[in-house]
Amino acid sequence: MVWAKRNLILSGERLTVHCGQGLRVHRDCRGRGFGNLVRAVASAFWYPPTTGQYHYIRSQNFGAVNFFKHTRPRVVSSSPEREGDVPGIPVAVLQLPARRVAGVAEGVRRALSPDIRRCVALINRTHRRQDLYRPYSVESLELRLDEGYWGPRSSWVEHVYGWQDYFVLEEEGEIVACGGFWDRGRDMREEWLNTVTGERKTIDVTALLDFGFAAGHERAMARLIAYFINETERLGRDCLLAPLEQLPGLAALLEEFRPVADERGLGWFLWDEESERLGRPFVDVKRPHIDLAYW
């Protein structure tokens, strides 16, 4: 079971909630009721207590929906129903197929420590007023790129995402776009099994993180994303994930790459006492921000 505690902003209010990221029961142990541990000992997984929860359920994953109906019905009952799909606020991430892209490397370089203040300003400008977003500070972005370490990292800790994966794009000597390129496929892969045909398929992807661009510089951001698409092909991954649902103008500039939408249902609710205190409905996320580290 995987939970992540997150500080974020919803409708202008600062909240501390947890994100349900993953839950698995070993195939040989399914059907024995172990899933009820979610309900029985859930409070042990986050302390101090949070005020609510959000999570994503993959489109058509009714197995997860039925599981929660039996273990914690509130998880699904608090989400808006959708005919023919899992309950939740519909959200989507673009899958941009890997391919060779020429002429996109000009002005692109790895970020340096003095660049971070400018990058923070670009990221916050790009995603401000989105629900479930926490504005960055210089310290928080540096800590993320330092992979959580203030000092030297232990030698046995594997690299996941850090300074070597963060890039800026300069035009006329000014940083106008920035973004992180996580080789997600190196660290986690999906294996799909067709139970009818027996066909197996492994999917490994890269992901766009911590990105932002200056006002009027959507094309620069699109070029940086194209650079990441090219890198995705070089690594032998299937596609680049990009959370552009709240940035339709930027998404339109990438239509030539024929993106495919990966759709999920976003569930969100406050605990009973918090909902009563705030006097608001359970579901009030209007423009959800998606951080692919939690997708």
Side-chain angles (χ1 to χ4, degrees):
M1 190 186 313
V2 182
W3 301 101
K5 180 178 289 185
R6 303 207 64 205
N7 294 320
L8 47 80
I9 294 177
L10 176 63
S11 299
E13 181 165 357
R14 293 154 62 103
L15 296 173
T16 297
V17 302
H18 70 271
C19 172
Q21 285 192 262
L23 186 150
R24 300 288 186 274
V25 177
H26 192 282
R27 186 180 302 276
D28 296 338
C29 298
R30 292 174 185 172
R32 300 185 188 179
F34 292 121
N36 285 315
L37 290 171
V38 177
R39 179 175 54 194
V41 298
S43 60
F45 291 96
W46 55 86
Y47 187 83
T50 58
T51 57
Q53 171 182 319
Y54 76 97
H55 56 270
Y56 303 103
I57 300 180
R58 193 185 299 273
S59 180
Q60 301 299 312
N61 187 2
F62 292 104
V65 175
N66 292 331
F67 169 81
F68 285 119
K69 284 182 177 179
H70 289 291
T71 57
R72 195 175 181 88
R74 173 89 173 280
V75 171
V76 291
S77 65
S78 62
S79 298
E81 292 289 336
R82 292 192 293 158
E83 184 177 354
D85 212 334
V86 299
I89 301 165
V91 293
V93 164
L94 293 185
Q95 299 175 329
L96 296 153
R99 56 178 267 194
R100 291 285 181 92
V101 188
V104 293
E106 184 180 354
V108 177
R109 62 170 175 81
R110 282 193 171 90
L112 302 173
S113 182
D115 302 326
I116 293 302
R117 188 171 300 278
R118 171 64 173 170
C119 291
V120 166
L122 295 179
I123 297 169
N124 288 339
R125 188 210 73 84
T126 300
H127 304 288
R128 64 188 177 193
R129 300 191 184 93
Q130 293 179 15
D131 288 327
L132 308 183
Y133 177 65
R134 177 187 179 179
Y136 280 81
S137 66
V138 171
E139 292 76 16
S140 66
L141 182 55
E142 284 181 333
L143 187 63
R144 180 144 161 158
L145 297 178
D146 286 334
E147 301 190 65
Y149 284 83
W150 271 16
R153 190 169 69 239
S154 299
S155 60
W156 54 267
V157 175
E158 295 288 341
H159 165 75
V160 176
Y161 168 74
W163 285 96
Q164 68 195 65
D165 310 301
Y166 204 71
F167 296 81
V168 298
L169 189 154
E170 291 181 315
E171 291 183 351
E172 298 180 355
E174 181 181 27
I175 296 174
V176 294
C178 59
F181 178 68
W182 173 31
D183 184 9
R184 179 181 172 128
R186 175 198 56 215
D187 304 312
M188 53 189 295
R189 289 163 294 282
E190 296 181 14
E191 185 172 286
W192 292 82
L193 170 65
N194 187 319
T195 56
V196 176
T197 66
E199 179 186 4
R200 291 182 180 272
K201 181 179 181 181
T202 300
I203 300 174
D204 50 12
V205 303
T206 60
L208 173 66
L209 302 179
D210 307 319
F211 70 98
F213 55 93
H217 285 271
E218 285 84 357
R219 291 190 180 278
M221 189 70 237
R223 184 154 63 85
L224 182 58
I225 292 174
Y227 175 83
F228 291 158
I229 292 172
N230 190 75
E231 289 296 290
T232 300
E233 196 277 338
R234 183 183 64 80
L235 291 171
R237 307 302 180 204
D238 297 307
C239 63
L240 170 73
L241 302 185
L244 305 181
E245 193 169 35
Q246 306 303 333
L247 300 165
L250 175 58
L253 294 174
L254 297 164
E255 288 181 354
E256 65 177 287
F257 296 102
R258 298 183 178 180
V260 176
D262 178 15
E263 298 182 352
R264 304 191 183 185
L266 168 65
W268 156 262
F269 61 92
L270 298 172
W271 308 134
D272 289 331
E273 60 274 14
E274 291 300 318
S275 180
E276 183 176 332
R277 179 181 69 83
L278 296 173
R280 64 166 79 172
F282 298 139
V283 179
D284 52 4
V285 178
K286 297 180 175 62
R287 298 184 63 235
H289 171 77
I290 295 175
D291 183 341
L292 289 178
Y294 304 93
W295 181 251

